[in-house]
Amino acid sequence: MKRWPLNITVPEKTASEKTAIDKVNPTKILQKGEAGSFWEDRGDRFHCGVDLYAPENTEVLSIEEGIVSETGLMTSPEILPYWNPTYYVIIENTSGMFCKYGELAEYAVQKGDNVGSGQLIGYVGMVLNCAKIDEFSPSYIRKLKNKNSSMLHFELWKDKPITSHRDYLGGNWFSEEKPENLVDPTEYLASIRN
């Protein structure tokens, strides 16, 4: 059985900061053309996943059972100054697909761990440091300067995901030709939500 990847209750850490769950819809799947949707054209790059908006520190759950094939750093101010440090977890599902859960504040599993459907694997992070966004930042980043959105960046792959490649950076692909193994996760997520 598959589980939605976000625990939809307000995290205690976030609730104390008076962030209400009704300000975001953690079950909304962005459709083609919306900011944060799959293969969104960002001018100089394409978005490799779907962003699922949720309050910072919302629990991220494994959709299916599988094994953690990799964890690592996804974004960092050492890579781009307007990024906060965020992490990713890749799970090879028993169905054979690979799910990449990205832009996590932290992760709760390690490489080689067996995970069950609905198991906690990490927490939603805040990828952008708005104080560091300036006139030299890409135009789509400048538009996000005061939105301070937190989200789960979710990618779906037929085979082991690309995490290090000259055309891949922070969940974006810097070429018009989509990676062969990358799958549009929109329908996959919709089948879980319904």
Side-chain angles (χ1 to χ4, degrees):
M1 182 165 137
K2 296 177 185 171
R3 280 283 310 264
W4 187 251
L6 294 170
N7 183 350
I8 318 176
T9 59
V10 177
E12 189 174 310
K13 293 178 191 176
T14 302
S16 66
E17 298 167 7
K18 299 184 185 332
T19 301
I21 195 72
D22 59 345
K23 290 185 179 179
V24 294
N25 181 353
T27 62
K28 178 177 168 71
I29 303 166
L30 300 169
Q31 300 300 307
K32 187 175 176 95
E34 291 184 283
S37 62
F38 178 73
W39 212 245
E40 170 200 0
D41 184 349
R42 295 181 164 178
D44 62 342
R45 63 196 80 186
F46 293 87
H47 192 232
C48 290
V50 170
D51 292 335
L52 301 173
Y53 292 94
E56 191 173 8
N57 298 313
T58 296
E59 293 179 341
V60 177
L61 311 174
S62 176
I63 293 173
E64 296 183 56
E65 66 179 57
I67 188 164
V68 178
S69 66
E70 190 175 333
T71 61
L73 184 70
M74 185 156 182
T75 63
S76 164
E78 285 77 32
I79 301 169
L80 288 172
Y82 54 81
W83 276 350
N84 288 317
T86 67
Y87 305 91
Y88 66 86
V89 170
I90 297 171
I91 296 176
E92 181 178 1
N93 299 332
T94 54
S95 66
M97 298 294 281
F98 287 78
C99 293
K100 181 176 181 182
Y101 304 82
E103 297 180 359
L104 304 173
E106 59 182 288
Y107 51 92
V109 292
Q110 299 298 321
K111 182 177 180 175
D113 286 355
N114 287 304
V115 294
S117 175
Q119 181 176 329
L120 175 70
I121 58 170
Y123 301 89
V124 168
M126 183 76 66
V127 69
L128 294 178
N129 178 345
C130 292
K132 299 284 185 173
I133 297 173
D134 60 23
E135 69 273 9
F136 302 108
S137 303
S139 64
Y140 76 91
I141 293 292
R142 290 194 308 268
K143 291 176 189 172
L144 298 173
K145 183 172 174 91
N146 296 313
K147 295 195 177 175
N148 215 16
S149 300
S150 52
M151 71 197 73
L152 168 65
H153 171 88
F154 181 78
E155 296 176 14
L156 187 63
W157 296 77
K158 289 183 218 173
D159 202 352
K160 189 168 168 96
I162 294 171
T163 57
S164 179
H165 187 281
R166 71 179 187 283
D167 289 332
Y168 183 87
L169 182 64
N172 294 286
W173 191 257
F174 289 80
S175 173
E176 289 189 26
E177 188 173 325
K178 185 174 63 165
E180 185 176 303
N181 293 328
L182 182 62
V183 177
D184 182 346
T186 307
E187 287 182 32
Y188 176 79
L189 290 169
S191 73
I192 299 165
R193 189 185 61 190
N194 296 335

